[in-house]
Amino acid sequence: MTKWLHSGRRRDLCALLYEAGELRAQSLKSRLESHYDERIDPGSFYATLTSLVESGFLDRRTEGIADVYALTDAGERALLDHYDWLSAKVGDGDGEGDGDTLGNGISDDDSDDDSDDGAGDDGPDLKD
């Protein structure tokens, strides 16, 4: 993984730019603050943008008095590679088991019904 992906803020900024195409710095900061539901220190925010520009993941151009940012091809590739990795970790492509498992390891298709399966009423029906 490239170093820029070690920061969630960097990934989130790139995701916002991927969605929007390009954004002025202040609009980008406002959207990120809205997502995090907290204020972001301007110095830290602009340092993150500068780092992404210097690493070749963002383009910066000046429009009037505002800086406008957009993903580069390298930034988009890195973001989509991370998306693929994350999707494999949390998506359906994990290759484990036949049914969807719940957080407790119990498959959601193991229904707890009262049908007569010959197990009797001595306790729960424990399946392999």
Side-chain angles (χ1 to χ4, degrees):
M1 171 178 4
T2 60
K3 184 173 181 162
W4 78 276
L5 285 173
H6 291 186
S7 165
R9 181 183 290 177
R10 291 178 190 161
R11 288 188 303 262
D12 294 345
L13 285 169
C14 289
L16 288 170
L17 287 169
Y18 181 82
E19 175 187 43
E22 64 178 27
L23 289 170
R24 292 176 181 239
Q26 189 57 49
S27 179
L28 188 54
K29 183 175 181 287
S30 295
R31 290 180 189 204
L32 195 60
E33 287 174 333
S34 177
H35 173 66
Y36 291 164
D37 198 25
E38 67 181 39
R39 183 184 173 279
I40 297 172
D41 175 68
S44 174
F45 173 77
Y46 285 100
T48 301
L49 287 176
T50 298
S51 174
L52 287 167
V53 169
E54 290 173 353
S55 298
F57 296 108
L58 295 185
D59 278 329
R60 174 180 35 218
R61 66 179 172 79
T62 302
E63 188 176 276
I65 61 170
D67 287 333
V68 179
Y69 293 87
L71 276 178
T72 62
D73 289 340
E76 185 173 332
R77 268 193 319 276
L79 181 65
L80 294 175
D81 286 347
H82 183 72
Y83 174 79
D84 289 342
W85 177 83
L86 189 60
S87 294
K89 299 300 177 198
V90 299
D92 292 334
D94 64 358
E96 294 183 16
D98 293 334
D100 292 324
T101 57
L102 305 174
N104 58 7
I106 298 172
S107 180
D108 66 358
D109 59 356
D110 289 342
S111 59
D112 194 17
D113 60 27
D114 292 329
S115 64
D116 185 16
D117 58 5
D121 292 343
D122 294 328
D125 180 18
L126 302 177
K127 299 178 182 174
D128 290 346

PDB file of all heavy atoms in Angstrom, residues 2-4 15 17-18 30-32 49 61 67 69 73-74 77 79 82 88 100 103 107-108 110-113 115 127:
ATOM      1  N   THR A   2       0.552   2.175  -0.821  1.00  0.00           N
ATOM      2  CA  THR A   2       1.342   3.392  -0.849  1.00  0.00           C
ATOM      3  C   THR A   2       1.137   4.173   0.436  1.00  0.00           C
ATOM      4  O   THR A   2       0.093   4.066   1.088  1.00  0.00           O
ATOM      5  CB  THR A   2       0.951   4.274  -2.049  1.00  0.00           C
ATOM      6  OG1 THR A   2      -0.415   4.607  -1.938  1.00  0.00           O
ATOM      7  CG2 THR A   2       1.240   3.586  -3.361  1.00  0.00           C
ATOM      8  N   LYS A   3       2.135   4.959   0.799  1.00  0.00           N
ATOM      9  CA  LYS A   3       2.108   5.659   2.076  1.00  0.00           C
ATOM     10  C   LYS A   3       0.896   6.580   2.236  1.00  0.00           C
ATOM     11  O   LYS A   3       0.355   6.712   3.316  1.00  0.00           O
ATOM     12  CB  LYS A   3       3.393   6.451   2.255  1.00  0.00           C
ATOM     13  CG  LYS A   3       3.480   7.123   3.600  1.00  0.00           C
ATOM     14  CD  LYS A   3       4.817   7.745   3.825  1.00  0.00           C
ATOM     15  CE  LYS A   3       4.809   8.372   5.205  1.00  0.00           C
ATOM     16  NZ  LYS A   3       6.100   8.634   5.713  1.00  0.00           N
ATOM     17  N   TRP A   4       0.431   7.168   1.159  1.00  0.00           N
ATOM     18  CA  TRP A   4      -0.687   8.115   1.282  1.00  0.00           C
ATOM     19  C   TRP A   4      -1.943   7.439   1.798  1.00  0.00           C
ATOM     20  O   TRP A   4      -2.798   8.064   2.397  1.00  0.00           O
ATOM     21  CB  TRP A   4      -0.952   8.835  -0.029  1.00  0.00           C
ATOM     22  CG  TRP A   4      -1.702   8.035  -1.043  1.00  0.00           C
ATOM     23  CD1 TRP A   4      -1.182   7.133  -1.910  1.00  0.00           C
ATOM     24  CD2 TRP A   4      -3.103   8.051  -1.272  1.00  0.00           C
ATOM     25  NE1 TRP A   4      -2.183   6.594  -2.669  1.00  0.00           N
ATOM     26  CE2 TRP A   4      -3.369   7.132  -2.305  1.00  0.00           C
ATOM     27  CE3 TRP A   4      -4.179   8.750  -0.715  1.00  0.00           C
ATOM     28  CZ2 TRP A   4      -4.639   6.895  -2.786  1.00  0.00           C
ATOM     29  CZ3 TRP A   4      -5.440   8.518  -1.193  1.00  0.00           C
ATOM     30  CH2 TRP A   4      -5.664   7.599  -2.219  1.00  0.00           C
ATOM     31  N   ALA A  15     -11.830  10.328  -1.915  1.00  0.00           N
ATOM     32  CA  ALA A  15     -13.168   9.814  -2.207  1.00  0.00           C
ATOM     33  C   ALA A  15     -14.126  10.954  -2.526  1.00  0.00           C
ATOM     34  O   ALA A  15     -14.938  10.853  -3.461  1.00  0.00           O
ATOM     35  CB  ALA A  15     -13.692   8.987  -1.028  1.00  0.00           C
ATOM     36  N   LEU A  17     -13.317  13.842  -3.816  1.00  0.00           N
ATOM     37  CA  LEU A  17     -12.943  14.358  -5.137  1.00  0.00           C
ATOM     38  C   LEU A  17     -13.327  13.389  -6.243  1.00  0.00           C
ATOM     39  O   LEU A  17     -13.684  13.812  -7.341  1.00  0.00           O
ATOM     40  CB  LEU A  17     -11.449  14.677  -5.181  1.00  0.00           C
ATOM     41  CG  LEU A  17     -11.061  15.923  -4.392  1.00  0.00           C
ATOM     42  CD1 LEU A  17      -9.556  16.028  -4.247  1.00  0.00           C
ATOM     43  CD2 LEU A  17     -11.646  17.171  -5.040  1.00  0.00           C
ATOM     44  N   TYR A  18     -13.275  12.114  -5.967  1.00  0.00           N
ATOM     45  CA  TYR A  18     -13.698  11.119  -6.954  1.00  0.00           C
ATOM     46  C   TYR A  18     -15.176  11.320  -7.281  1.00  0.00           C
ATOM     47  O   TYR A  18     -15.581  11.289  -8.436  1.00  0.00           O
ATOM     48  CB  TYR A  18     -13.456   9.716  -6.407  1.00  0.00           C
ATOM     49  CG  TYR A  18     -13.846   8.609  -7.359  1.00  0.00           C
ATOM     50  CD1 TYR A  18     -12.978   8.216  -8.372  1.00  0.00           C
ATOM     51  CD2 TYR A  18     -15.068   7.956  -7.236  1.00  0.00           C
ATOM     52  CE1 TYR A  18     -13.323   7.200  -9.252  1.00  0.00           C
ATOM     53  CE2 TYR A  18     -15.428   6.949  -8.110  1.00  0.00           C
ATOM     54  CZ  TYR A  18     -14.553   6.567  -9.116  1.00  0.00           C
ATOM     55  OH  TYR A  18     -14.909   5.564  -9.987  1.00  0.00           O
ATOM     56  N   SER A  30     -15.314  21.776   3.964  1.00  0.00           N
ATOM     57  CA  SER A  30     -16.668  21.767   4.534  1.00  0.00           C
ATOM     58  C   SER A  30     -17.321  20.395   4.425  1.00  0.00           C
ATOM     59  O   SER A  30     -17.963  19.927   5.362  1.00  0.00           O
ATOM     60  CB  SER A  30     -17.551  22.799   3.838  1.00  0.00           C
ATOM     61  OG  SER A  30     -17.090  24.095   4.083  1.00  0.00           O
ATOM     62  N   ARG A  31     -17.159  19.740   3.294  1.00  0.00           N
ATOM     63  CA  ARG A  31     -17.738  18.405   3.112  1.00  0.00           C
ATOM     64  C   ARG A  31     -17.102  17.392   4.047  1.00  0.00           C
ATOM     65  O   ARG A  31     -17.778  16.534   4.605  1.00  0.00           O
ATOM     66  CB  ARG A  31     -17.599  17.947   1.664  1.00  0.00           C
ATOM     67  CG  ARG A  31     -18.489  18.714   0.716  1.00  0.00           C
ATOM     68  CD  ARG A  31     -18.326  18.246  -0.701  1.00  0.00           C
ATOM     69  NE  ARG A  31     -19.028  19.150  -1.605  1.00  0.00           N
ATOM     70  CZ  ARG A  31     -19.461  18.806  -2.795  1.00  0.00           C
ATOM     71  NH1 ARG A  31     -19.266  17.587  -3.259  1.00  0.00           N
ATOM     72  NH2 ARG A  31     -20.078  19.684  -3.557  1.00  0.00           N
ATOM     73  N   LEU A  32     -15.787  17.506   4.227  1.00  0.00           N
ATOM     74  CA  LEU A  32     -15.102  16.579   5.124  1.00  0.00           C
ATOM     75  C   LEU A  32     -15.514  16.826   6.575  1.00  0.00           C
ATOM     76  O   LEU A  32     -15.759  15.879   7.321  1.00  0.00           O
ATOM     77  CB  LEU A  32     -13.592  16.720   4.953  1.00  0.00           C
ATOM     78  CG  LEU A  32     -12.743  15.603   5.531  1.00  0.00           C
ATOM     79  CD1 LEU A  32     -13.096  14.260   4.900  1.00  0.00           C
ATOM     80  CD2 LEU A  32     -11.267  15.914   5.330  1.00  0.00           C
ATOM     81  N   LEU A  49      -3.612  18.363   1.935  1.00  0.00           N
ATOM     82  CA  LEU A  49      -3.771  18.624   0.499  1.00  0.00           C
ATOM     83  C   LEU A  49      -2.413  18.785  -0.183  1.00  0.00           C
ATOM     84  O   LEU A  49      -2.177  18.216  -1.257  1.00  0.00           O
ATOM     85  CB  LEU A  49      -4.619  19.874   0.271  1.00  0.00           C
ATOM     86  CG  LEU A  49      -6.106  19.762   0.552  1.00  0.00           C
ATOM     87  CD1 LEU A  49      -6.783  21.114   0.363  1.00  0.00           C
ATOM     88  CD2 LEU A  49      -6.757  18.711  -0.323  1.00  0.00           C
ATOM     89  N   ARG A  61      -5.085  23.713  -9.076  1.00  0.00           N
ATOM     90  CA  ARG A  61      -5.033  24.869  -9.971  1.00  0.00           C
ATOM     91  C   ARG A  61      -5.706  26.029  -9.252  1.00  0.00           C
ATOM     92  O   ARG A  61      -6.525  25.826  -8.357  1.00  0.00           O
ATOM     93  CB  ARG A  61      -5.689  24.573 -11.315  1.00  0.00           C
ATOM     94  CG  ARG A  61      -7.168  24.336 -11.273  1.00  0.00           C
ATOM     95  CD  ARG A  61      -7.737  24.066 -12.686  1.00  0.00           C
ATOM     96  NE  ARG A  61      -9.117  23.646 -12.603  1.00  0.00           N
ATOM     97  CZ  ARG A  61     -10.159  24.458 -12.427  1.00  0.00           C
ATOM     98  NH1 ARG A  61      -9.971  25.751 -12.314  1.00  0.00           N
ATOM     99  NH2 ARG A  61     -11.383  23.976 -12.363  1.00  0.00           N
ATOM    100  N   ASP A  67      -8.050  27.838  -4.573  1.00  0.00           N
ATOM    101  CA  ASP A  67      -7.404  26.661  -5.134  1.00  0.00           C
ATOM    102  C   ASP A  67      -8.470  25.607  -5.387  1.00  0.00           C
ATOM    103  O   ASP A  67      -9.356  25.387  -4.555  1.00  0.00           O
ATOM    104  CB  ASP A  67      -6.355  26.096  -4.174  1.00  0.00           C
ATOM    105  CG  ASP A  67      -5.114  26.960  -4.097  1.00  0.00           C
ATOM    106  OD1 ASP A  67      -4.818  27.656  -5.087  1.00  0.00           O
ATOM    107  OD2 ASP A  67      -4.434  26.933  -3.052  1.00  0.00           O
ATOM    108  N   TYR A  69      -9.056  21.540  -6.496  1.00  0.00           N
ATOM    109  CA  TYR A  69      -8.357  20.254  -6.468  1.00  0.00           C
ATOM    110  C   TYR A  69      -9.135  19.201  -7.241  1.00  0.00           C
ATOM    111  O   TYR A  69     -10.362  19.209  -7.261  1.00  0.00           O
ATOM    112  CB  TYR A  69      -8.175  19.786  -5.026  1.00  0.00           C
ATOM    113  CG  TYR A  69      -7.240  20.680  -4.247  1.00  0.00           C
ATOM    114  CD1 TYR A  69      -7.710  21.807  -3.598  1.00  0.00           C
ATOM    115  CD2 TYR A  69      -5.887  20.398  -4.192  1.00  0.00           C
ATOM    116  CE1 TYR A  69      -6.852  22.648  -2.902  1.00  0.00           C
ATOM    117  CE2 TYR A  69      -5.018  21.222  -3.496  1.00  0.00           C
ATOM    118  CZ  TYR A  69      -5.507  22.339  -2.851  1.00  0.00           C
ATOM    119  OH  TYR A  69      -4.644  23.165  -2.178  1.00  0.00           O
ATOM    120  N   ASP A  73      -4.752  10.689 -12.322  1.00  0.00           N
ATOM    121  CA  ASP A  73      -4.954   9.284 -12.671  1.00  0.00           C
ATOM    122  C   ASP A  73      -4.346   8.368 -11.603  1.00  0.00           C
ATOM    123  O   ASP A  73      -4.935   7.357 -11.230  1.00  0.00           O
ATOM    124  CB  ASP A  73      -4.338   8.963 -14.034  1.00  0.00           C
ATOM    125  CG  ASP A  73      -5.111   9.595 -15.183  1.00  0.00           C
ATOM    126  OD1 ASP A  73      -6.297   9.945 -14.995  1.00  0.00           O
ATOM    127  OD2 ASP A  73      -4.533   9.724 -16.272  1.00  0.00           O
ATOM    128  N   ALA A  74      -3.184   8.758 -11.080  1.00  0.00           N
ATOM    129  CA  ALA A  74      -2.534   7.963 -10.028  1.00  0.00           C
ATOM    130  C   ALA A  74      -3.382   7.952  -8.757  1.00  0.00           C
ATOM    131  O   ALA A  74      -3.506   6.924  -8.087  1.00  0.00           O
ATOM    132  CB  ALA A  74      -1.140   8.503  -9.730  1.00  0.00           C
ATOM    133  N   ARG A  77      -6.399   5.659  -9.375  1.00  0.00           N
ATOM    134  CA  ARG A  77      -5.983   4.242  -9.326  1.00  0.00           C
ATOM    135  C   ARG A  77      -5.772   3.781  -7.897  1.00  0.00           C
ATOM    136  O   ARG A  77      -6.208   2.703  -7.509  1.00  0.00           O
ATOM    137  CB  ARG A  77      -4.693   4.034 -10.129  1.00  0.00           C
ATOM    138  CG  ARG A  77      -4.902   3.638 -11.562  1.00  0.00           C
ATOM    139  CD  ARG A  77      -3.625   3.149 -12.228  1.00  0.00           C
ATOM    140  NE  ARG A  77      -2.425   3.905 -11.907  1.00  0.00           N
ATOM    141  CZ  ARG A  77      -2.048   5.027 -12.520  1.00  0.00           C
ATOM    142  NH1 ARG A  77      -2.774   5.532 -13.486  1.00  0.00           N
ATOM    143  NH2 ARG A  77      -0.934   5.636 -12.167  1.00  0.00           N
ATOM    144  N   LEU A  79      -7.018   5.041  -5.136  1.00  0.00           N
ATOM    145  CA  LEU A  79      -8.302   5.004  -4.436  1.00  0.00           C
ATOM    146  C   LEU A  79      -9.096   3.767  -4.824  1.00  0.00           C
ATOM    147  O   LEU A  79      -9.648   3.068  -3.964  1.00  0.00           O
ATOM    148  CB  LEU A  79      -9.113   6.267  -4.733  1.00  0.00           C
ATOM    149  CG  LEU A  79     -10.468   6.381  -4.038  1.00  0.00           C
ATOM    150  CD1 LEU A  79     -10.299   6.479  -2.532  1.00  0.00           C
ATOM    151  CD2 LEU A  79     -11.235   7.574  -4.571  1.00  0.00           C
ATOM    152  N   HIS A  82      -7.645   0.669  -3.299  1.00  0.00           N
ATOM    153  CA  HIS A  82      -8.030   0.566  -1.888  1.00  0.00           C
ATOM    154  C   HIS A  82      -9.488   0.122  -1.760  1.00  0.00           C
ATOM    155  O   HIS A  82      -9.829  -0.690  -0.898  1.00  0.00           O
ATOM    156  CB  HIS A  82      -7.818   1.893  -1.162  1.00  0.00           C
ATOM    157  CG  HIS A  82      -8.139   1.809   0.284  1.00  0.00           C
ATOM    158  ND1 HIS A  82      -7.342   1.141   1.182  1.00  0.00           N
ATOM    159  CD2 HIS A  82      -9.192   2.269   0.994  1.00  0.00           C
ATOM    160  CE1 HIS A  82      -7.892   1.195   2.389  1.00  0.00           C
ATOM    161  NE2 HIS A  82      -9.013   1.881   2.292  1.00  0.00           N
ATOM    162  N   ALA A  88     -13.120  -6.526  -0.681  1.00  0.00           N
ATOM    163  CA  ALA A  88     -12.798  -7.943  -0.468  1.00  0.00           C
ATOM    164  C   ALA A  88     -12.812  -8.287   1.014  1.00  0.00           C
ATOM    165  O   ALA A  88     -13.156  -9.408   1.388  1.00  0.00           O
ATOM    166  CB  ALA A  88     -11.432  -8.267  -1.071  1.00  0.00           C
ATOM    167  N   ASP A 100     -24.631 -16.080   4.816  1.00  0.00           N
ATOM    168  CA  ASP A 100     -24.115 -14.876   5.432  1.00  0.00           C
ATOM    169  C   ASP A 100     -24.040 -15.117   6.920  1.00  0.00           C
ATOM    170  O   ASP A 100     -24.972 -15.616   7.527  1.00  0.00           O
ATOM    171  CB  ASP A 100     -25.050 -13.687   5.160  1.00  0.00           C
ATOM    172  CG  ASP A 100     -25.042 -13.298   3.705  1.00  0.00           C
ATOM    173  OD1 ASP A 100     -23.994 -13.369   3.071  1.00  0.00           O
ATOM    174  OD2 ASP A 100     -26.125 -12.934   3.222  1.00  0.00           O
ATOM    175  N   GLY A 103     -22.525 -11.310  13.245  1.00  0.00           N
ATOM    176  CA  GLY A 103     -21.358 -10.986  14.042  1.00  0.00           C
ATOM    177  C   GLY A 103     -20.981 -12.058  15.053  1.00  0.00           C
ATOM    178  O   GLY A 103     -19.852 -12.163  15.467  1.00  0.00           O
ATOM    179  N   SER A 107     -24.896 -18.407  11.273  1.00  0.00           N
ATOM    180  CA  SER A 107     -25.388 -18.129   9.937  1.00  0.00           C
ATOM    181  C   SER A 107     -26.826 -17.641  10.016  1.00  0.00           C
ATOM    182  O   SER A 107     -27.632 -18.178  10.775  1.00  0.00           O
ATOM    183  CB  SER A 107     -25.297 -19.403   9.088  1.00  0.00           C
ATOM    184  OG  SER A 107     -25.768 -19.166   7.801  1.00  0.00           O
ATOM    185  N   ASP A 108     -27.161 -16.599   9.232  1.00  0.00           N
ATOM    186  CA  ASP A 108     -28.506 -16.048   9.302  1.00  0.00           C
ATOM    187  C   ASP A 108     -29.545 -16.942   8.639  1.00  0.00           C
ATOM    188  O   ASP A 108     -30.730 -16.693   8.742  1.00  0.00           O
ATOM    189  CB  ASP A 108     -28.569 -14.632   8.728  1.00  0.00           C
ATOM    190  CG  ASP A 108     -28.288 -14.562   7.241  1.00  0.00           C
ATOM    191  OD1 ASP A 108     -27.991 -15.613   6.626  1.00  0.00           O
ATOM    192  OD2 ASP A 108     -28.351 -13.459   6.692  1.00  0.00           O
ATOM    193  N   ASP A 110     -29.768 -20.174   9.496  1.00  0.00           N
ATOM    194  CA  ASP A 110     -30.055 -21.217  10.480  1.00  0.00           C
ATOM    195  C   ASP A 110     -31.245 -20.769  11.313  1.00  0.00           C
ATOM    196  O   ASP A 110     -31.101 -20.188  12.374  1.00  0.00           O
ATOM    197  CB  ASP A 110     -28.854 -21.450  11.413  1.00  0.00           C
ATOM    198  CG  ASP A 110     -27.691 -22.122  10.711  1.00  0.00           C
ATOM    199  OD1 ASP A 110     -27.929 -22.710   9.635  1.00  0.00           O
ATOM    200  OD2 ASP A 110     -26.566 -22.061  11.229  1.00  0.00           O
ATOM    201  N   SER A 111     -32.436 -21.026  10.799  1.00  0.00           N
ATOM    202  CA  SER A 111     -33.622 -20.558  11.505  1.00  0.00           C
ATOM    203  C   SER A 111     -33.883 -21.435  12.710  1.00  0.00           C
ATOM    204  O   SER A 111     -33.534 -22.597  12.756  1.00  0.00           O
ATOM    205  CB  SER A 111     -34.828 -20.559  10.568  1.00  0.00           C
ATOM    206  OG  SER A 111     -35.061 -21.862  10.077  1.00  0.00           O
ATOM    207  N   ASP A 112     -34.502 -20.837  13.706  1.00  0.00           N
ATOM    208  CA  ASP A 112     -34.834 -21.534  14.943  1.00  0.00           C
ATOM    209  C   ASP A 112     -36.325 -21.818  14.921  1.00  0.00           C
ATOM    210  O   ASP A 112     -37.120 -21.100  15.506  1.00  0.00           O
ATOM    211  CB  ASP A 112     -34.459 -20.643  16.135  1.00  0.00           C
ATOM    212  CG  ASP A 112     -34.460 -21.414  17.447  1.00  0.00           C
ATOM    213  OD1 ASP A 112     -34.425 -22.663  17.403  1.00  0.00           O
ATOM    214  OD2 ASP A 112     -34.494 -20.760  18.504  1.00  0.00           O
ATOM    215  N   ASP A 113     -36.731 -22.891  14.208  1.00  0.00           N
ATOM    216  CA  ASP A 113     -38.154 -23.193  14.094  1.00  0.00           C
ATOM    217  C   ASP A 113     -38.500 -24.410  14.938  1.00  0.00           C
ATOM    218  O   ASP A 113     -37.644 -25.062  15.501  1.00  0.00           O
ATOM    219  CB  ASP A 113     -38.566 -23.399  12.637  1.00  0.00           C
ATOM    220  CG  ASP A 113     -37.813 -24.550  11.971  1.00  0.00           C
ATOM    221  OD1 ASP A 113     -37.383 -25.483  12.673  1.00  0.00           O
ATOM    222  OD2 ASP A 113     -37.659 -24.508  10.739  1.00  0.00           O
ATOM    223  N   SER A 115     -40.073 -27.134  13.849  1.00  0.00           N
ATOM    224  CA  SER A 115     -40.424 -28.281  13.027  1.00  0.00           C
ATOM    225  C   SER A 115     -39.850 -29.554  13.625  1.00  0.00           C
ATOM    226  O   SER A 115     -38.833 -29.550  14.304  1.00  0.00           O
ATOM    227  CB  SER A 115     -39.902 -28.086  11.596  1.00  0.00           C
ATOM    228  OG  SER A 115     -38.485 -28.040  11.612  1.00  0.00           O
ATOM    229  N   LYS A 127     -26.015 -28.034  15.054  1.00  0.00           N
ATOM    230  CA  LYS A 127     -25.569 -28.539  13.766  1.00  0.00           C
ATOM    231  C   LYS A 127     -24.079 -28.280  13.614  1.00  0.00           C
ATOM    232  O   LYS A 127     -23.522 -27.373  14.201  1.00  0.00           O
ATOM    233  CB  LYS A 127     -26.331 -27.841  12.629  1.00  0.00           C
ATOM    234  CG  LYS A 127     -27.805 -28.082  12.691  1.00  0.00           C
ATOM    235  CD  LYS A 127     -28.510 -27.336  11.579  1.00  0.00           C
ATOM    236  CE  LYS A 127     -30.008 -27.551  11.684  1.00  0.00           C
ATOM    237  NZ  LYS A 127     -30.726 -26.739  10.703  1.00  0.00           N
TER     238      LYS A 127
END
